[in-house]
Amino acid sequence: MDTIKDMQSFLQRLQHGNPRSITAMLLAVMLFSVMDSLIKALSTHYPPLQVAAMRGALTLPLIALWIQLRGAWGEVWRARWPLHFLRGALVITMLVLFTYGVRHLPLTNAYTIMFFAPLLITLLAWPVLGERVPRAHWWAIIGGLVGVLVALRPSAEGFASWAGLAVLGCAVCYAVSAVVTRLCSRTDSKDSLVLWVMVILAVGAGAMAIPQWRPLQADHLWFWLGLAASGFGAQLAITEAFRHGQASAVAPFEYTALGWSLGIDWVVWQVLPDSYTLLGAAIVVGSGLYVLRHEQVHATAEHP
């Protein structure tokens, strides 16, 4: 009976416009996977700071065009600058760590560790945003940490992997950045949040990358253009996904990134994850789905 009720609930959500949001989320995940694959490919030719700087610089014209078409320039100047600079620093650190990590790790391994970030956001929401964290969420956070440790390898040699620890650091930066973004969003516009973080990324990472800057190779032109287009498109798609749909219905589809990473790792780099990575991924994803299921049940109880 419970299975039938769950199916009926799912069908009801589909009838209220969630297919559009789910489609947008699937598109966002695909584009983010493409972007991360291009970062991995470029990381073997350019320093991490240069990749981060180019990611920001190449995306800025697209963001400016988007703001211009919507006539939203008047909103971008109302900004809480200290929080924007903090976000920028976190994003620079995040991209540098991720670029270094995927240079030495398959995408599947990196994604497994990154999936711990949503649980970290839940943990940080309590002291920073004043949001109550239910007991079920604490159990999920512990489960997610166990999954990450399994994916990093339960041995001294595996845990000492600098690439794995770099991606874990990236997940921490992403979680803190997400919480800071939520603080900013209480007063600043969406366009302000998107524009200024890219400006800080391009200028800040670019300045730090100058000592080790390498000339751009003509053969990589399409890689850079693809990086800008996929990153910009993914940002628009994920915004669309959460604008119209229920978060509990849309968020689980973020985990389809594992499917893309498995396929890209196999087709492009001819590698497959080992049993430790798959087990860790299952634990982390299961912990995240447990939180979503818990929220869905309580939302249904409050609003039957």
Side-chain angles (χ1 to χ4, degrees):
M1 291 297 295
D2 289 340
T3 303
I4 295 175
K5 290 181 180 179
D6 289 343
M7 181 61 69
Q8 289 174 339
S9 176
F10 177 73
L11 292 175
Q12 288 175 354
R13 292 198 303 273
L14 289 183
Q15 293 171 359
H16 287 84
N18 280 333
R20 173 180 177 180
S21 295
I22 291 171
T23 301
M25 175 57 77
L26 291 173
L27 177 62
V29 170
M30 180 192 73
L31 290 173
F32 275 128
S33 299
V34 171
M35 182 189 75
D36 292 339
S37 302
L38 292 171
I39 288 176
K40 180 176 175 63
L42 291 166
S43 68
T44 61
H45 303 280
Y46 303 95
L49 275 170
Q50 184 173 351
V51 174
M54 292 295 293
R55 159 82 170 93
L58 292 173
T59 308
L60 269 178
L62 298 176
I63 294 174
L65 178 61
W66 175 252
I67 295 175
Q68 178 66 31
L69 291 175
R70 296 168 53 249
W73 284 108
E75 300 179 0
V76 302
W77 299 104
R78 296 192 299 270
R80 298 168 68 182
W81 295 111
L83 291 180
H84 281 277
F85 284 119
L86 176 58
R87 287 181 66 233
L90 288 168
V91 169
I92 291 173
T93 305
M94 179 180 71
L95 275 173
V96 168
L97 290 174
F98 186 79
T99 301
Y100 175 82
V102 295
R103 180 176 182 177
H104 303 282
L105 288 176
L107 279 179
T108 305
N109 298 54
Y111 279 7
T112 297
I113 300 171
M114 283 297 298
F115 279 145
F116 187 50
L119 299 174
L120 286 176
I121 293 172
T122 301
L123 177 64
L124 292 171
W126 171 45
V128 179
L129 301 175
E131 297 179 359
R132 186 180 66 86
V133 181
R135 182 181 300 177
H137 290 199
W138 289 107
W139 285 115
I141 290 169
I142 294 172
L145 180 59
V146 170
V148 169
L149 292 176
V150 171
L152 282 173
R153 305 293 186 278
S155 64
E157 180 181 357
F159 189 76
S161 165
W162 287 112
L165 294 177
V167 177
L168 183 59
C170 173
V172 173
C173 289
Y174 175 80
V176 176
S177 175
V179 173
V180 173
T181 298
R182 288 173 66 176
L183 284 174
C184 283
S185 65
R186 294 174 177 176
T187 55
D188 300 356
S189 70
K190 176 183 63 179
D191 297 296
S192 176
L193 293 173
V194 174
L195 174 66
W196 295 119
V197 75
M198 286 299 157
V199 170
I200 296 170
L201 176 61
V203 175
M208 289 186 288
I210 289 176
Q212 295 181 322
W213 192 274
R214 297 179 183 176
L216 302 182
Q217 301 177 30
D219 294 345
H220 299 152
L221 174 62
W222 291 109
F223 286 79
W224 291 116
L225 293 179
L227 180 66
S230 59
F232 177 69
Q235 193 62 50
L236 293 183
I238 201 167
T239 301
E240 179 73 13
F242 285 110
R243 179 185 297 175
H244 298 287
Q246 297 171 300
S248 60
V250 174
F253 288 87
E254 290 190 49
Y255 293 121
T256 58
L258 276 177
W260 284 106
S261 64
L262 282 167
I264 293 171
D265 277 340
W266 172 247
V267 173
V268 179
W269 288 285
Q270 288 79 51
V271 295
L272 286 176
D274 58 21
S275 57
Y276 282 118
T277 300
L278 293 175
L279 177 59
I283 296 173
V284 175
V285 171
S287 299
L289 293 177
Y290 173 70
V291 170
L292 291 168
R293 176 61 177 168
H294 178 269
E295 291 301 303
Q296 187 180 44
V297 169
H298 278 261
T300 303
E302 294 175 2
H303 306 283

